[in-house]
Amino acid sequence: MNPVVEMENVVKYYDQKRPVGLFRRETHRVYALNGVSFSLEKGDLCAYAGPNGAGKSTTFKLLSGMLSPQEGKVSAFGANPAEHRIAMMQKTGVLFGNRSELWWDHPVRTSFLWKKQVWGIDDRAYAENLGFLKELLDLDEIWTVFARELSLGQRMRANLALTFLHDPQLVLLDEPTLGLDVLAKRQMIGFIKRINEEKKATILVTSHDMDDLMEMTRRVILIQRGKLAFDGDLQALLFRTGDRRTLRITRPGPAPELPGAKLVSSAQGVHAYEFIGTETPAVELLARVSALAEVQDVELGRAPIESVIAALYEKWKREQPA
Amino acid sequence: MKGAISYLKELFGLYRLYGRMDLQWFLQDSRNSLILLAVDVVLGVADLAGLMLLAVRFQGVGGFSAREVLFFLAFYETGNGFLTMLFCNYNVLNISRRVGRGQLDHMLIQPRPLAMQLLAEGFAPVSGCGKLLVGLAVLIVACVGLHMRITPVWVLMLMLYVICYGALQIGQSYLWGSLAFYIPAAFEEISSVILDLNGAVGRYPLAGLPRWLAAGLCTVLPVGLTAYLPARVLLGKVQTPWQIALPFAVAAAFLWGAGRAFRRGMRRYLTHSCNRYRDMGFRN
């Protein structure tokens, strides 16, 4: 079966002019992507993760035909997206987390009617898809509200529904959970998983929140400074980096010493630690915390993706010394 | 031929869509919309008032009698209104804003040719018709006052010059606006500056200016061709064929240049993208 998306040794760089002295400027080449290769099959739900500036948005722009690479091959549905933009956009949905496709001075429903006509969605498909999306994303309550008056979570829901309205076979979601509260995040993640199962759409989703990614997908592609750092099962990645976790304790006074955990910060009675789950089980550490006096709050979490990637790189460096 | 017909069908479908959206916008908040339309009408009249008062006070100005000045200003306002109605919405006319703010991405994810989107998206037949209404009303008053003989050929010429007015403005806006592909932050407002300049200078007659300046204003910065020369032709004051054809030739040249510059800029956009994105309601 042909992959829906294929990137082969893709190189994308930008030349930046930087001032050196009063009149001179030097050109610096900044690599957004440097030899990145991966492919996605039909129905794949894959996380595309990396810290800010890692090259995630550049990948999305390449896949949606908004950019062309300097080297390598980008293909979606077997064709170059930049050369077949119109045909490609007919079957692709793109959502950038910090942008809105809603018409600002119109009620939400107008944006859907606009999309129906611009994408040429027939009446039956429109009614079917809209019913499905309205139910899944609770759109009824915001259907007649002006887009400019929506909260961030409501706007994301409406944008997400708009992205899926034309039954896209490939969906690129750039930070769909950005800025959302816990409840809205959960709803969004549930929606993405369900639509992937029911519609068999190929979905590539970015986030730099490790917990979101863990909840959403099994496969993860990690990108760091334009290079592919990891492509595979998320659990395997966590195992390789030793399942890095965080622990935050609220307790008056100085930070207590916790064997197996490293103190990262301590301010105003809030003490943050990092520990490696595979070496020190969380249960063991919690038992030590519960033995401490005056503990007001305890919070367990996963290390941010930057820290996971940094650990991965350190591990590789140790394994393959220069 | 078949391709052209389907293109036009799609284009008119989009005009219908954006026309309907404009009407909906107008009806959703009728009170404010009516105020906006009234303001447009008042501004349209104010646009004409300054020069008109001078012309009345001095029994004409720049080689025009007072009634001819009224006709000239009415033609200017009609051209301006026509352009506003077709392209004013969502910064389609002020294209450097869209380019400089990185907002072209919103158009590139639509399964329609970019040119078609640019032609249709700014259409505002209801909210953008204030100036056109003022222009046409004053044009009728001016024609009656001048006892002009209106023939089908004259009406055709009037329509062609109104289209030419739009083509000149769009050509200049897109030609200069293409600079925003290269330095987005610095040239974000260049299209508005050019259009404002055209608006400020274009409603004054060029008679009496030094030849070199008049020549410049009819070529490099063709404000004299938007309303002044067409008004003289329509008033029967100019009959030489090259002068009659000059606005069309310059408009065609500007459109051609703008097309080339914009396509070149788009090629750059597809290799460099835009290094900034400003939301601002994303199409405003």
Side-chain angles (χ1 to χ4, degrees):
Chain A
M1 195 164 58
N2 287 333
V4 175
V5 164
E6 202 169 13
M7 289 184 69
E8 265 180 52
N9 291 317
V10 172
V11 176
K12 181 73 206 170
Y13 56 77
Y14 303 99
D15 286 333
Q16 285 182 347
K17 303 262 187 218
R18 295 180 189 169
V20 183
L22 200 56
F23 299 107
R24 224 160 58 81
R25 293 206 297 172
E26 266 180 9
T27 304
H28 282 256
R29 185 155 288 179
V30 179
Y31 281 86
L33 294 176
N34 195 355
V36 170
S37 301
F38 68 85
S39 65
L40 296 174
E41 303 291 338
K42 184 177 165 55
D44 276 356
L45 171 54
C46 177
Y48 196 63
N52 290 334
K56 297 184 304 250
S57 297
T58 297
T59 307
F60 274 35
K61 285 188 172 184
L62 286 167
L63 285 174
S64 46
M66 290 179 202
L67 268 181
S68 302
Q70 271 93 2
E71 286 173 40
K73 186 184 142 196
V74 179
S75 108
F77 307 105
N80 180 349
E83 286 170 12
H84 299 88
R85 184 184 66 79
I86 293 174
M88 154 98 190
M89 280 305 139
Q90 202 69 55
K91 17 187 198 181
T92 305
V94 187
L95 172 69
F96 288 99
N98 58 348
R99 303 180 184 188
S100 176
E101 292 306 324
L102 298 168
W103 288 84
W104 201 244
D105 289 321
H106 286 274
V108 170
R109 68 156 181 252
T110 305
S111 297
F112 283 76
L113 290 167
W114 166 79
K115 177 143 189 175
K116 177 182 184 288
Q117 173 138 0
V118 174
W119 265 256
I121 306 168
D122 65 61
D123 292 343
R124 210 177 122 202
Y126 177 76
E128 252 177 44
N129 290 344
L130 189 62
F132 177 73
L133 294 165
K134 267 184 161 182
E135 183 204 324
L136 237 61
L137 288 164
D138 285 338
L139 293 185
D140 279 323
E141 59 173 18
I142 55 168
W143 194 237
T144 51
V145 179
F146 282 88
R148 59 172 186 254
E149 287 164 6
L150 297 175
S151 70
L152 180 63
Q154 290 172 329
R155 198 156 66 227
M156 283 304 285
R157 261 158 51 204
N159 270 306
L160 201 62
L162 208 56
T163 306
F164 282 92
L165 187 67
H166 62 296
D167 245 339
Q169 294 162 42
L170 170 65
V171 182
L172 307 169
L173 302 174
D174 191 10
E175 302 281 0
T177 54
L178 191 77
L180 297 185
D181 61 38
V182 182
L183 200 70
K185 252 187 199 180
R186 203 154 288 275
Q187 192 182 19
M188 199 69 79
I189 291 168
F191 168 79
I192 292 168
K193 282 166 79 173
R194 195 171 151 195
I195 209 153
N196 171 251
E197 276 165 22
E198 291 192 18
K199 304 254 177 187
K200 297 286 171 235
T202 306
I203 302 177
L204 187 63
V205 54
T206 76
S207 175
H208 53 256
D209 188 318
M210 209 63 183
D211 288 324
D212 286 358
L213 293 182
M214 281 199 73
E215 218 178 317
M216 248 186 284
T217 77
R218 280 182 64 82
R219 181 180 169 193
V220 64
I221 296 173
L222 270 186
I223 190 143
Q224 166 82 335
R225 290 186 187 158
K227 290 199 169 191
L228 203 73
F230 179 84
D231 182 357
D233 190 85
L234 191 55
Q235 292 299 331
L237 171 72
L238 293 177
F239 183 75
R240 282 172 74 167
T241 53
D243 192 12
R244 299 173 73 83
R245 310 287 286 266
T246 58
L247 175 70
R248 194 191 295 262
I249 303 170
T250 310
R251 178 179 182 259
E257 205 168 295
L258 286 174
K262 191 177 124 193
L263 183 69
V264 183
S265 67
S266 176
Q268 292 170 336
V270 180
H271 319 293
Y273 300 83
E274 259 191 24
F275 66 100
I276 296 176
T278 47
E279 289 170 12
T280 313
V283 182
E284 203 175 287
L285 210 57
L286 284 175
R288 278 176 208 153
V289 173
S290 64
L292 296 169
E294 292 184 274
V295 174
Q296 292 163 358
D297 195 16
V298 180
E299 199 183 319
L300 256 179
R302 289 190 193 282
I305 198 138
E306 287 85 349
S307 155
V308 174
I309 292 172
L312 197 66
Y313 267 86
E314 266 174 38
K315 195 174 157 73
W316 284 351
K317 257 190 195 167
R318 278 200 306 273
E319 285 169 2
Q320 299 168 314
Chain B
M1 186 66 185
K2 216 173 171 183
I5 290 171
S6 95
Y7 187 93
L8 284 176
K9 230 170 125 181
E10 273 185 54
L11 179 64
F12 283 110
L14 288 183
Y15 273 126
R16 225 176 16 250
L17 170 71
Y18 289 113
R20 205 168 51 226
M21 281 170 68
D22 188 51
L23 178 66
Q24 276 171 2
W25 175 84
F26 195 86
L27 296 177
Q28 274 152 9
D29 191 356
S30 310
R31 196 171 141 262
N32 282 333
S33 306
L34 283 171
I35 291 172
L36 192 84
L37 194 63
V39 167
D40 248 10
V41 171
V42 171
L43 281 176
V45 174
D47 261 356
L48 315 180
L51 186 67
M52 194 58 226
L53 289 174
L54 281 175
V56 171
R57 172 70 182 79
F58 297 105
Q59 282 96 46
V61 68
F64 285 137
S65 69
R67 284 188 192 280
E68 286 169 345
V69 166
L70 188 67
F71 177 86
F72 160 60
L73 290 172
F75 175 81
Y76 161 82
E77 196 65 10
T78 305
N80 199 8
F82 171 74
L83 185 68
T84 304
M85 191 180 77
L86 277 183
F87 295 103
C88 75
N89 259 356
Y90 311 116
N91 285 327
V92 171
L93 188 56
N94 290 305
I95 192 65
S96 60
R97 286 188 183 157
R98 277 206 153 183
V99 175
R101 291 172 186 172
Q103 294 172 352
L104 278 183
D105 290 357
H106 291 287
M107 306 185 96
L108 292 174
I109 63 168
Q110 293 177 38
R112 299 286 174 133
L114 189 62
M116 185 189 285
Q117 293 178 48
L118 288 170
L119 278 172
E121 220 174 276
F123 186 45
V126 184
S127 64
C129 71
K131 284 183 179 171
L132 184 63
L133 292 177
V134 172
L136 287 172
V138 180
L139 198 66
I140 292 168
V141 172
C143 288
V144 171
L146 285 165
H147 306 292
M148 285 176 74
R149 225 182 109 241
I150 309 295
T151 63
V153 176
W154 187 91
V155 174
L156 182 69
M157 285 298 283
L158 173 73
M159 283 161 64
L160 287 175
Y161 276 127
V162 166
I163 293 170
C164 185
Y165 177 103
L168 278 164
Q169 302 277 34
I170 291 168
Q172 290 179 79
S173 172
Y174 276 62
L175 181 66
W176 291 105
S178 297
L179 287 169
F181 283 112
Y182 304 91
I183 313 174
F187 289 109
E188 181 185 325
E189 288 297 333
I190 186 83
S191 291
S192 341
V193 170
I194 292 295
L195 293 169
D196 286 352
L197 184 69
N198 270 282
V201 185
R203 57 173 183 263
Y204 290 97
L206 300 186
L209 289 179
R211 282 179 78 90
W212 63 269
L213 187 55
L217 292 176
C218 287
T219 49
V220 185
L221 186 68
V223 289
L225 302 181
T226 50
Y228 175 64
L229 189 61
R232 281 174 59 87
V233 173
L234 293 167
L235 286 167
K237 288 174 169 280
V238 170
Q239 278 155 355
T240 48
W242 76 267
Q243 281 184 312
I244 293 171
L246 187 64
F248 300 110
V250 175
F254 266 91
L255 279 184
W256 178 80
R260 271 185 73 97
F262 195 78
R263 271 196 296 274
R264 213 173 146 169
M266 273 310 294
R267 280 201 293 276
R268 188 187 154 85
Y269 198 84
L270 292 177
T271 52
H272 291 69
S273 192
C274 182
N275 55 11
R276 68 203 286 260
Y277 177 77
R278 293 184 77 193
D279 190 329
M280 304 179 78
F282 96 72
R283 291 174 175 104
N284 295 326

